[in-house]
Amino acid sequence: MTDLNELYQEMILEHNKSPRNFRAITDATKKAEGYNPLCGDRLMIYLKLENSRIADISFQGSGCAISKASASMMTTMVKGKTKAEAEALFEDFRKMLGRGAGSDYDTKSLGKLAVFSGVCEFPARVKCATLAWHTLYSGLGNEAKIISTEEGR
Ligand code: ZN
């Protein structure tokens, strides 16, 4: 288990150091801003939606290693997925972290996101890990507004 945790930590640190899709999309169809006041994580998600499919996604911002790695991994996971598929993945991710209704989640579809499974032991850190997802969720909706992890849990 310790080895696994070390591997997970390494992946998180690696994504934090070289985040994927860390840029702005100039012709984004949606933008959403997320803020986690507990930790000071702030990020902006850019989305390019084509017929309810995420044709492109990127993010920018600053925050702790977990929030940044989570945003980085999220963008790689949901790119090419439909809105419904991305939302289902978010639901599974929340369940893995001990949030949301029930604890039956699809480990297979979560894939690499399993690196965040240890975060559920640290409730304050769960907000760091889910910030990008809450922001994506808002971006997939119709309103662009500032999302705080303190709301709508
Ligand atoms: Zn954080």
Side-chain angles (χ1 to χ4, degrees):
M1 200 60 202
T2 315
D3 289 348
L4 192 63
N5 284 339
E6 270 172 26
L7 177 74
Y8 283 0
Q9 268 182 21
E10 248 169 61
M11 271 183 81
I12 288 172
L13 291 175
E14 198 273 320
H15 271 268
N16 176 50
K17 221 171 112 187
S18 338
R20 317 298 194 270
N21 304 302
F22 192 75
R23 61 191 159 87
I25 295 174
T26 47
D27 57 344
T29 53
K30 299 269 183 203
K31 273 193 260 183
E33 191 181 2
Y35 176 48
N36 173 16
L38 274 188
C39 183
D41 309 317
R42 227 176 242 287
L43 51 85
M44 178 75 89
I45 303 265
Y46 299 84
L47 283 166
K48 203 173 167 183
L49 294 175
E50 280 168 12
N51 304 321
S52 291
R53 188 173 287 278
I54 301 169
D56 202 4
I57 177 169
S58 70
F59 80 104
Q60 281 187 322
S62 61
C64 67
I66 290 178
S67 68
K68 221 164 154 185
S70 177
S72 170
M73 257 181 247
M74 179 194 78
T75 59
T76 66
M77 292 289 293
V78 303
K79 198 187 273 191
K81 282 192 162 52
T82 63
K83 186 172 177 272
E85 285 166 348
E87 286 171 1
L89 194 60
F90 177 37
E91 198 52 45
D92 277 339
F93 188 63
R94 290 184 61 205
K95 281 181 186 171
M96 182 184 78
L97 293 173
R99 302 293 164 97
S103 55
D104 53 319
Y105 54 87
D106 188 345
T107 323
K108 220 176 199 174
S109 69
L110 283 170
K112 283 180 188 167
L113 296 174
V115 299
F116 295 101
S117 60
V119 172
C120 64
E121 290 168 43
F122 310 96
R125 290 282 147 159
V126 170
K127 292 174 191 290
C128 301
T130 55
L131 176 65
W133 290 90
H134 281 292
T135 311
L136 168 68
Y137 196 78
S138 145
L140 291 173
N142 299 309
E143 274 175 74
K145 56 175 183 175
I146 295 178
I147 293 305
S148 168
T149 47
E150 293 303 292
E151 296 164 26
R153 292 204 282 125

mmCIF file of all heavy atoms in Angstrom, residues 19-48:
data_model
loop_
_atom_site.group_PDB
_atom_site.id
_atom_site.type_symbol
_atom_site.label_atom_id
_atom_site.label_comp_id
_atom_site.label_asym_id
_atom_site.label_seq_id
_atom_site.Cartn_x
_atom_site.Cartn_y
_atom_site.Cartn_z
ATOM 1 N N PRO A 19 1.641 20.455 -15.922
ATOM 2 C CA PRO A 19 0.205 20.264 -16.138
ATOM 3 C C PRO A 19 -0.161 20.163 -17.621
ATOM 4 O O PRO A 19 0.398 20.885 -18.443
ATOM 5 C CB PRO A 19 -0.427 21.495 -15.490
ATOM 6 C CG PRO A 19 0.661 22.489 -15.363
ATOM 7 C CD PRO A 19 1.950 21.727 -15.272
ATOM 8 N N ARG A 20 -1.078 19.238 -17.921
ATOM 9 C CA ARG A 20 -1.531 19.067 -19.298
ATOM 10 C C ARG A 20 -2.626 20.089 -19.600
ATOM 11 O O ARG A 20 -3.389 20.456 -18.705
ATOM 12 C CB ARG A 20 -2.116 17.663 -19.495
ATOM 13 C CG ARG A 20 -1.333 16.538 -18.867
ATOM 14 C CD ARG A 20 0.086 16.385 -19.435
ATOM 15 N NE ARG A 20 0.681 15.119 -19.055
ATOM 16 C CZ ARG A 20 1.404 14.937 -17.943
ATOM 17 N NH1 ARG A 20 1.637 15.942 -17.123
ATOM 18 N NH2 ARG A 20 1.897 13.743 -17.666
ATOM 19 N N ASN A 21 -2.690 20.477 -20.854
ATOM 20 C CA ASN A 21 -3.739 21.421 -21.295
ATOM 21 C C ASN A 21 -3.766 22.702 -20.463
ATOM 22 O O ASN A 21 -4.813 23.264 -20.199
ATOM 23 C CB ASN A 21 -5.115 20.751 -21.262
ATOM 24 C CG ASN A 21 -5.152 19.483 -22.086
ATOM 25 O OD1 ASN A 21 -4.869 19.518 -23.276
ATOM 26 N ND2 ASN A 21 -5.469 18.359 -21.457
ATOM 27 N N PHE A 22 -2.574 23.142 -20.066
ATOM 28 C CA PHE A 22 -2.468 24.365 -19.265
ATOM 29 C C PHE A 22 -2.269 25.553 -20.203
ATOM 30 O O PHE A 22 -1.156 25.912 -20.557
ATOM 31 C CB PHE A 22 -1.286 24.233 -18.288
ATOM 32 C CG PHE A 22 -1.259 25.300 -17.225
ATOM 33 C CD1 PHE A 22 -2.131 25.263 -16.163
ATOM 34 C CD2 PHE A 22 -0.342 26.341 -17.289
ATOM 35 C CE1 PHE A 22 -2.114 26.248 -15.181
ATOM 36 C CE2 PHE A 22 -0.309 27.329 -16.311
ATOM 37 C CZ PHE A 22 -1.200 27.283 -15.257
ATOM 38 N N ARG A 23 -3.372 26.108 -20.644
ATOM 39 C CA ARG A 23 -3.371 27.204 -21.619
ATOM 40 C C ARG A 23 -4.777 27.754 -21.706
ATOM 41 O O ARG A 23 -5.694 27.175 -21.153
ATOM 42 C CB ARG A 23 -2.932 26.686 -22.996
ATOM 43 C CG ARG A 23 -3.889 25.625 -23.517
ATOM 44 C CD ARG A 23 -3.387 24.884 -24.745
ATOM 45 N NE ARG A 23 -4.090 23.606 -24.873
ATOM 46 C CZ ARG A 23 -5.249 23.432 -25.499
ATOM 47 N NH1 ARG A 23 -5.863 24.443 -26.052
ATOM 48 N NH2 ARG A 23 -5.825 22.248 -25.554
ATOM 49 N N ALA A 24 -4.920 28.855 -22.414
ATOM 50 C CA ALA A 24 -6.258 29.387 -22.650
ATOM 51 C C ALA A 24 -6.714 28.922 -24.030
ATOM 52 O O ALA A 24 -5.887 28.667 -24.898
ATOM 53 C CB ALA A 24 -6.221 30.905 -22.601
ATOM 54 N N ILE A 25 -8.010 28.754 -24.217
ATOM 55 C CA ILE A 25 -8.559 28.466 -25.542
ATOM 56 C C ILE A 25 -9.209 29.772 -26.007
ATOM 57 O O ILE A 25 -10.164 30.246 -25.388
ATOM 58 C CB ILE A 25 -9.598 27.324 -25.491
ATOM 59 C CG1 ILE A 25 -8.922 26.013 -25.065
ATOM 60 C CG2 ILE A 25 -10.269 27.149 -26.857
ATOM 61 C CD1 ILE A 25 -9.890 24.854 -24.842
ATOM 62 N N THR A 26 -8.646 30.361 -27.058
ATOM 63 C CA THR A 26 -9.111 31.686 -27.457
ATOM 64 C C THR A 26 -10.539 31.669 -27.996
ATOM 65 O O THR A 26 -11.287 32.617 -27.809
ATOM 66 C CB THR A 26 -8.155 32.305 -28.503
ATOM 67 O OG1 THR A 26 -7.876 31.314 -29.494
ATOM 68 C CG2 THR A 26 -6.857 32.738 -27.861
ATOM 69 N N ASP A 27 -10.913 30.571 -28.662
ATOM 70 C CA ASP A 27 -12.283 30.512 -29.189
ATOM 71 C C ASP A 27 -13.164 29.564 -28.363
ATOM 72 O O ASP A 27 -13.985 28.827 -28.898
ATOM 73 C CB ASP A 27 -12.285 30.113 -30.670
ATOM 74 C CG ASP A 27 -11.592 28.775 -30.907
ATOM 75 O OD1 ASP A 27 -10.849 28.316 -30.006
ATOM 76 O OD2 ASP A 27 -11.779 28.186 -31.988
ATOM 77 N N ALA A 28 -12.947 29.598 -27.052
ATOM 78 C CA ALA A 28 -13.734 28.748 -26.148
ATOM 79 C C ALA A 28 -15.216 29.101 -26.247
ATOM 80 O O ALA A 28 -15.572 30.269 -26.400
ATOM 81 C CB ALA A 28 -13.258 28.929 -24.720
ATOM 82 N N THR A 29 -16.072 28.084 -26.168
ATOM 83 C CA THR A 29 -17.507 28.350 -26.187
ATOM 84 C C THR A 29 -18.036 28.557 -24.767
ATOM 85 O O THR A 29 -19.103 29.122 -24.579
ATOM 86 C CB THR A 29 -18.284 27.194 -26.866
ATOM 87 O OG1 THR A 29 -17.913 25.961 -26.244
ATOM 88 C CG2 THR A 29 -17.982 27.121 -28.343
ATOM 89 N N LYS A 30 -17.277 28.065 -23.778
ATOM 90 C CA LYS A 30 -17.666 28.254 -22.375
ATOM 91 C C LYS A 30 -16.429 28.487 -21.524
ATOM 92 O O LYS A 30 -15.363 27.931 -21.799
ATOM 93 C CB LYS A 30 -18.367 26.998 -21.825
ATOM 94 C CG LYS A 30 -19.635 26.615 -22.530
ATOM 95 C CD LYS A 30 -20.842 27.254 -21.884
ATOM 96 C CE LYS A 30 -22.111 26.775 -22.580
ATOM 97 N NZ LYS A 30 -23.228 27.684 -22.406
ATOM 98 N N LYS A 31 -16.629 29.265 -20.476
ATOM 99 C CA LYS A 31 -15.567 29.491 -19.508
ATOM 100 C C LYS A 31 -16.188 29.426 -18.128
ATOM 101 O O LYS A 31 -17.330 29.820 -17.946
ATOM 102 C CB LYS A 31 -14.966 30.895 -19.686
ATOM 103 C CG LYS A 31 -13.852 30.964 -20.705
ATOM 104 C CD LYS A 31 -13.116 32.275 -20.576
ATOM 105 C CE LYS A 31 -13.566 33.289 -21.620
ATOM 106 N NZ LYS A 31 -12.808 34.554 -21.544
ATOM 107 N N ALA A 32 -15.453 28.921 -17.170
ATOM 108 C CA ALA A 32 -15.957 28.918 -15.799
ATOM 109 C C ALA A 32 -14.788 29.106 -14.858
ATOM 110 O O ALA A 32 -13.677 28.605 -15.101
ATOM 111 C CB ALA A 32 -16.687 27.621 -15.504
ATOM 112 N N GLU A 33 -15.054 29.838 -13.780
ATOM 113 C CA GLU A 33 -14.006 30.112 -12.820
ATOM 114 C C GLU A 33 -14.328 29.398 -11.519
ATOM 115 O O GLU A 33 -15.466 29.406 -11.064
ATOM 116 C CB GLU A 33 -13.912 31.622 -12.596
ATOM 117 C CG GLU A 33 -12.679 32.026 -11.830
ATOM 118 C CD GLU A 33 -12.621 33.535 -11.586
ATOM 119 O OE1 GLU A 33 -13.558 34.251 -11.992
ATOM 120 O OE2 GLU A 33 -11.646 33.974 -10.974
ATOM 121 N N GLY A 34 -13.321 28.770 -10.944
ATOM 122 C CA GLY A 34 -13.513 28.068 -9.675
ATOM 123 C C GLY A 34 -12.587 28.604 -8.609
ATOM 124 O O GLY A 34 -11.471 29.033 -8.893
ATOM 125 N N TYR A 35 -13.065 28.582 -7.380
ATOM 126 C CA TYR A 35 -12.279 29.110 -6.268
ATOM 127 C C TYR A 35 -12.512 28.262 -5.022
ATOM 128 O O TYR A 35 -13.649 27.944 -4.683
ATOM 129 C CB TYR A 35 -12.680 30.563 -6.015
ATOM 130 C CG TYR A 35 -12.014 31.207 -4.831
ATOM 131 C CD1 TYR A 35 -10.625 31.108 -4.653
ATOM 132 C CD2 TYR A 35 -12.748 31.921 -3.890
ATOM 133 C CE1 TYR A 35 -10.014 31.707 -3.554
ATOM 134 C CE2 TYR A 35 -12.139 32.524 -2.796
ATOM 135 C CZ TYR A 35 -10.770 32.412 -2.631
ATOM 136 O OH TYR A 35 -10.151 32.989 -1.553
ATOM 137 N N ASN A 36 -11.440 27.866 -4.398
ATOM 138 C CA ASN A 36 -11.527 27.116 -3.151
ATOM 139 C C ASN A 36 -10.919 27.970 -2.040
ATOM 140 O O ASN A 36 -9.704 27.996 -1.857
ATOM 141 C CB ASN A 36 -10.763 25.786 -3.301
ATOM 142 C CG ASN A 36 -10.667 25.032 -1.992
ATOM 143 O OD1 ASN A 36 -11.392 25.314 -1.041
ATOM 144 N ND2 ASN A 36 -9.764 24.073 -1.929
ATOM 145 N N PRO A 37 -11.758 28.701 -1.306
ATOM 146 C CA PRO A 37 -11.248 29.652 -0.307
ATOM 147 C C PRO A 37 -10.451 28.999 0.820
ATOM 148 O O PRO A 37 -9.571 29.626 1.390
ATOM 149 C CB PRO A 37 -12.513 30.339 0.225
ATOM 150 C CG PRO A 37 -13.636 29.440 -0.125
ATOM 151 C CD PRO A 37 -13.221 28.697 -1.363
ATOM 152 N N LEU A 38 -10.726 27.744 1.100
ATOM 153 C CA LEU A 38 -10.030 27.066 2.187
ATOM 154 C C LEU A 38 -8.534 26.949 1.927
ATOM 155 O O LEU A 38 -7.722 26.994 2.837
ATOM 156 C CB LEU A 38 -10.593 25.661 2.387
ATOM 157 C CG LEU A 38 -11.806 25.525 3.297
ATOM 158 C CD1 LEU A 38 -12.095 24.059 3.526
ATOM 159 C CD2 LEU A 38 -11.581 26.231 4.628
ATOM 160 N N CYS A 39 -8.203 26.778 0.657
ATOM 161 C CA CYS A 39 -6.805 26.538 0.303
ATOM 162 C C CYS A 39 -6.240 27.680 -0.532
ATOM 163 O O CYS A 39 -5.039 27.888 -0.586
ATOM 164 C CB CYS A 39 -6.713 25.222 -0.464
ATOM 165 S SG CYS A 39 -5.057 24.714 -0.902
ATOM 166 N N GLY A 40 -7.136 28.445 -1.172
ATOM 167 C CA GLY A 40 -6.701 29.532 -2.041
ATOM 168 C C GLY A 40 -6.493 29.100 -3.481
ATOM 169 O O GLY A 40 -5.853 29.795 -4.255
ATOM 170 N N ASP A 41 -7.043 27.925 -3.832
ATOM 171 C CA ASP A 41 -6.921 27.437 -5.214
ATOM 172 C C ASP A 41 -7.880 28.216 -6.111
ATOM 173 O O ASP A 41 -9.043 28.392 -5.777
ATOM 174 C CB ASP A 41 -7.303 25.945 -5.313
ATOM 175 C CG ASP A 41 -6.578 25.095 -4.290
ATOM 176 O OD1 ASP A 41 -5.378 25.304 -4.097
ATOM 177 O OD2 ASP A 41 -7.242 24.225 -3.694
ATOM 178 N N ARG A 42 -7.363 28.648 -7.240
ATOM 179 C CA ARG A 42 -8.169 29.406 -8.176
ATOM 180 C C ARG A 42 -7.894 28.883 -9.573
ATOM 181 O O ARG A 42 -6.728 28.721 -9.937
ATOM 182 C CB ARG A 42 -7.707 30.862 -8.123
ATOM 183 C CG ARG A 42 -8.796 31.873 -8.032
ATOM 184 C CD ARG A 42 -8.152 33.236 -7.883
ATOM 185 N NE ARG A 42 -8.523 33.870 -6.620
ATOM 186 C CZ ARG A 42 -9.716 34.381 -6.352
ATOM 187 N NH1 ARG A 42 -10.676 34.324 -7.248
ATOM 188 N NH2 ARG A 42 -9.972 34.941 -5.187
ATOM 189 N N LEU A 43 -8.928 28.603 -10.337
ATOM 190 C CA LEU A 43 -8.662 28.200 -11.712
ATOM 191 C C LEU A 43 -9.771 28.587 -12.662
ATOM 192 O O LEU A 43 -10.904 28.869 -12.259
ATOM 193 C CB LEU A 43 -8.365 26.703 -11.812
ATOM 194 C CG LEU A 43 -9.294 25.670 -11.189
ATOM 195 C CD1 LEU A 43 -10.423 25.333 -12.137
ATOM 196 C CD2 LEU A 43 -8.501 24.402 -10.897
ATOM 197 N N MET A 44 -9.388 28.653 -13.909
ATOM 198 C CA MET A 44 -10.325 28.979 -14.983
ATOM 199 C C MET A 44 -10.316 27.807 -15.949
ATOM 200 O O MET A 44 -9.263 27.341 -16.352
ATOM 201 C CB MET A 44 -9.841 30.254 -15.691
ATOM 202 C CG MET A 44 -10.692 30.673 -16.854
ATOM 203 S SD MET A 44 -12.255 31.406 -16.338
ATOM 204 C CE MET A 44 -11.781 33.120 -16.195
ATOM 205 N N ILE A 45 -11.516 27.324 -16.264
ATOM 206 C CA ILE A 45 -11.637 26.220 -17.213
ATOM 207 C C ILE A 45 -12.170 26.770 -18.535
ATOM 208 O O ILE A 45 -13.124 27.558 -18.536
ATOM 209 C CB ILE A 45 -12.631 25.147 -16.688
ATOM 210 C CG1 ILE A 45 -12.196 24.628 -15.321
ATOM 211 C CG2 ILE A 45 -12.847 24.031 -17.711
ATOM 212 C CD1 ILE A 45 -11.381 23.371 -15.321
ATOM 213 N N TYR A 46 -11.541 26.382 -19.615
ATOM 214 C CA TYR A 46 -11.982 26.780 -20.946
ATOM 215 C C TYR A 46 -12.527 25.539 -21.651
ATOM 216 O O TYR A 46 -11.900 24.481 -21.609
ATOM 217 C CB TYR A 46 -10.819 27.324 -21.774
ATOM 218 C CG TYR A 46 -10.159 28.543 -21.183
ATOM 219 C CD1 TYR A 46 -9.175 28.414 -20.215
ATOM 220 C CD2 TYR A 46 -10.520 29.813 -21.595
ATOM 221 C CE1 TYR A 46 -8.564 29.528 -19.665
ATOM 222 C CE2 TYR A 46 -9.910 30.945 -21.049
ATOM 223 C CZ TYR A 46 -8.934 30.795 -20.087
ATOM 224 O OH TYR A 46 -8.330 31.898 -19.539
ATOM 225 N N LEU A 47 -13.671 25.709 -22.280
ATOM 226 C CA LEU A 47 -14.306 24.574 -22.952
ATOM 227 C C LEU A 47 -14.664 24.930 -24.377
ATOM 228 O O LEU A 47 -15.097 26.056 -24.658
ATOM 229 C CB LEU A 47 -15.602 24.203 -22.246
ATOM 230 C CG LEU A 47 -15.546 23.422 -20.931
ATOM 231 C CD1 LEU A 47 -16.905 23.489 -20.269
ATOM 232 C CD2 LEU A 47 -15.129 21.989 -21.175
ATOM 233 N N LYS A 48 -14.492 23.945 -25.245
ATOM 234 C CA LYS A 48 -14.990 24.108 -26.600
ATOM 235 C C LYS A 48 -15.953 22.955 -26.826
ATOM 236 O O LYS A 48 -15.537 21.803 -26.948
ATOM 237 C CB LYS A 48 -13.836 24.059 -27.592
ATOM 238 C CG LYS A 48 -14.175 24.751 -28.870
ATOM 239 C CD LYS A 48 -12.973 24.846 -29.776
ATOM 240 C CE LYS A 48 -13.428 25.246 -31.160
ATOM 241 N NZ LYS A 48 -12.313 25.288 -32.089
#
